[in-house]
Amino acid sequence: MTEDHPLNRDEMLAVLDWYRAAGVDIAVGEEPVDRFAQRVPNRTAPAAVASPVTAVDSPAVRRAADSASEGPTVLLGGDPAEARALAASATTLEQLEALLGAYDGCGLKLRATQLVFADGNPQADIMLIGEAPGAEEDHQGKPFVGKSGQLLDRMLKAIGLDRTRVYIANTVPWRPPGNRTPTPEEMALCLPFLHRQVELVAPKIVMTLGGPAMQTIFDTTAGIIKMRGKWSTLSIGSRQVEAIPTLHPAYLLRNARAKEQAWADMLSLRMKIEALGLDG
Ligand code: URA
């Protein structure tokens, strides 16, 4: 666009299409802002913010702290210590949902339509944890209701489960713009709420879906292909659970051959439910 030749309608639509293909699907303001014209202050991440980040020793938090020290313009949003205190103060899932809904520490909330807290049965013995809501989840306010959710439902059905028998949440409860992977900072800020959610649901089994959810819950930097299908006994908050990572349904939609591995993991889940004598 030049000043003497504004874009016509077709050209504007073409630009919007291009933005959408690049993952830019949300307007954050009415007026365009020329960020290049703004001066970027040359500052390092403030020590006052960095210290609570390093106060909890976990890969997610260490990755957040590392990325804060990587460059001069990285800003951390909220304070993980505040997130932990807030999450710990919830004594019911309803309170936790309300606290999370009012929590402004994680920047993802700004661009999401709404909080996507959970779906399924809060009394279930089995909890599934995904990565982050997508467009359809953001629209409906429930996890796994888009295409990957439909596949997840079929995977559950194949081993005799459905959403009345499992509880479903995500590592972050707001949709990242353009469906990008949540950053380590975003996951670290939401993690205390997820841990509290696990404590309040008190499942016996946790299944994580995809690499980022596995890394967050299993507190590891290992890859999903190596880790999937392996059971561990994990302490999540004050709870001990049997936990297994599997592949993300969205990955299975793109890689049909990997369904065989996911099927083995689902059968392993079925066997664990039976071995523990659970109502699943
Ligand atoms: N993918 C996820 O990880 N979570 C959802 O809720 C939807 C898609």
Side-chain angles (χ1 to χ4, degrees):
M1 176 176 65
T2 63
E3 272 172 31
D4 51 354
H5 170 56
L7 298 185
N8 65 31
R9 188 174 180 280
D10 285 347
E11 287 168 332
M12 280 194 256
L13 288 175
V15 170
L16 283 178
D17 264 355
W18 186 81
Y19 277 145
R20 201 168 35 223
V24 181
D25 56 3
I26 299 169
V28 292
E30 293 301 319
E31 298 294 329
V33 178
D34 183 356
R35 306 270 176 210
F36 293 106
Q38 295 178 333
R39 284 201 52 207
V40 178
N42 185 18
R43 60 195 169 112
T44 50
V49 173
S51 62
V53 170
T54 51
V56 171
D57 192 29
S58 82
V61 169
R62 282 196 297 276
R63 283 194 298 275
D66 286 351
S67 82
S69 62
E70 263 165 22
T73 56
V74 174
L75 293 178
L76 291 181
D79 172 350
E82 180 202 29
R84 280 196 299 281
L86 259 181
S89 72
T91 56
T92 63
L93 286 168
E94 291 73 21
Q95 277 178 14
L96 186 68
E97 183 171 1
L99 281 173
L100 200 47
Y103 176 63
D104 287 330
C106 177
L108 287 176
K109 182 183 176 184
L110 288 177
R111 308 218 196 137
T113 309
Q114 58 183 317
L115 179 75
V116 178
F117 185 67
D119 195 23
N121 181 352
Q123 262 95 48
D125 283 329
I126 302 140
M127 179 164 174
L128 307 180
I129 302 178
E131 180 181 327
E136 198 49 41
E137 289 77 19
D138 181 61
H139 180 64
Q140 294 191 32
K142 278 190 190 174
F144 284 101
V145 289
K147 283 218 168 70
S148 56
Q150 288 157 20
L151 176 56
L152 179 62
D153 286 339
R154 292 200 295 278
M155 290 161 71
L156 291 171
K157 191 168 175 206
I159 56 163
L161 296 177
D162 60 27
R163 289 186 191 223
T164 66
R165 293 190 156 90
V166 300
Y167 181 82
I168 310 178
N170 280 306
T171 57
V172 298
W174 294 283
R175 181 197 181 203
N179 292 344
R180 65 165 169 74
T181 302
T183 65
E185 291 88 344
E186 289 158 353
M187 292 206 242
L189 283 166
C190 296
L191 191 58
F193 295 98
L194 180 61
H195 279 179
R196 189 72 187 130
Q197 206 167 357
V198 174
E199 284 179 338
L200 292 169
V201 174
K204 306 283 189 315
I205 294 178
V206 165
M207 174 176 255
T208 57
L209 306 167
M214 177 209 72
Q215 292 183 335
T216 303
I217 295 298
F218 285 74
D219 203 9
T220 178
T221 52
I224 181 68
I225 298 300
K226 182 169 155 221
M227 293 281 287
R228 59 141 284 274
K230 296 193 174 111
W231 286 96
S232 309
T233 304
L234 291 186
S235 293
I236 303 181
S238 59
R239 296 281 163 194
Q240 279 231 327
V241 297
E242 294 300 302
I244 182 171
T246 192
L247 303 170
H248 196 287
Y251 175 79
L252 300 176
L253 287 171
R254 295 191 304 269
N255 300 277
R257 290 177 66 182
K259 285 183 181 167
E260 191 181 333
Q261 293 165 314
W263 175 234
D265 300 343
M266 296 311 283
L267 287 178
S268 181
L269 172 60
R270 182 76 246 167
M271 286 193 286
K272 183 65 88 178
I273 291 169
E274 270 151 36
L276 297 180
L278 301 178
D279 178 26

